[in-house]
Amino acid sequence: MMWLASGIPWRRSFRILVVTVAFIVCILFPIAVKLSESGAIKSYKLARVLAFVDPFGHASSAGAQLVNSYYALSNGGLFGVGLGNSIQKRGYLPEPNTDFIMAIVGEELGLVGIVVILILLAIIIGRAVQLGIRSTNGYYALLCYGIATYFTVQAVINVGGVAGVLPITGVTFPFISYGGSSMFSLTLALGTLLNISTRERKERNHDV
């Protein structure tokens, strides 16, 4: 995203992106699945891909997380079972406080709770993009776009894995999942945004 925002012709960038994604999806993904099914190679990463394709077929092994995530989201429904009343976090869903924290949020606070959290994160991302657009410094602008993309991609991959629309990758949800290294990098990025905002405000006031 920083590359696309840097001024490079978007058509050339888009063609490169499309070719790369098509190559991964149409060639590498089927080959990896076939090799794993034949037993030629064994990897827990490929097992996660197979579990993504058929989670209930691997419910006792690689698909256990996703299957229990489905149960948690189903239990929660629209408004949830109440804060602290999750059933799946009591030994059924692996990693309920990190990778699959949003499944527990969905079970306890329901779809409404998930939507509220996503809206709050979207506000942060939107403000980062807005700061980048308003910035008169190209370096600051690229930083803002990169950080906004960082938050967006991490949230999409995490929620996609919890909902079963993307393979499980172990990516945490921004500012919600437990994890020191994740929280450190996220707060560092957020602090960078605040620093840029302060600098931009001082420069505007100085110009006035």
Side-chain angles (χ1 to χ4, degrees):
M1 290 304 297
M2 294 172 71
W3 180 26
L4 293 174
S6 65
I8 296 175
W10 68 270
R11 292 190 179 185
R12 185 173 66 180
S13 302
F14 184 74
R15 284 197 296 268
I16 293 173
L17 179 63
V18 169
V19 170
T20 303
V21 172
F23 178 74
I24 293 173
V25 173
C26 299
I27 298 178
L28 295 184
F29 182 79
I31 290 175
V33 172
K34 288 296 182 182
L35 289 175
S36 179
E37 289 178 343
S38 65
I41 55 175
K42 295 182 179 180
S43 169
Y44 77 93
K45 298 183 180 70
L46 289 178
R48 287 183 173 186
V49 174
L50 294 175
F52 161 69
V53 175
D54 183 18
F56 287 93
H58 301 80
S60 60
S61 54
Q65 279 186 304
L66 186 53
V67 168
N68 282 285
S69 176
Y70 285 154
Y71 291 154
L73 295 174
S74 176
N75 291 340
L78 188 60
F79 297 105
V81 296
L83 194 61
N85 294 328
S86 169
I87 297 174
Q88 294 305 116
K89 72 180 181 182
R90 304 180 189 280
Y92 297 101
L93 177 62
E95 305 300 334
N97 60 331
T98 55
D99 304 355
F100 280 81
I101 188 66
M102 292 306 288
I104 302 304
V105 170
E107 185 178 11
E108 295 188 354
L109 303 179
L111 178 62
V112 173
I114 292 178
V115 170
V116 169
I117 291 175
L118 292 178
I119 289 174
L120 294 174
L121 182 62
I123 291 173
I124 297 176
I125 294 170
R127 290 291 292 171
V129 173
Q130 185 183 55
L131 182 61
I133 293 173
R134 293 179 176 178
S135 177
T136 56
N137 186 304
Y139 177 69
Y140 290 167
L142 288 178
L143 273 178
C144 291
Y145 298 144
I147 292 171
T149 304
Y150 171 40
F151 290 168
T152 302
V153 170
Q154 188 161 334
V156 168
I157 292 177
N158 179 271
V159 174
V162 168
V165 297
L166 290 174
I168 299 169
T169 58
V171 174
T172 57
F173 189 88
F175 305 109
I176 302 295
S177 295
Y178 173 85
S181 58
S182 173
M183 191 64 71
F184 176 79
S185 62
L186 289 165
T187 51
L188 189 66
L190 191 60
T192 302
L193 285 177
L194 294 173
N195 185 277
I196 292 173
S197 177
T198 301
R199 288 173 179 264
E200 288 287 329
R201 188 180 300 109
K202 287 182 179 180
E203 290 178 6
R204 285 196 298 268
N205 294 336
H206 183 268
D207 292 339
V208 173

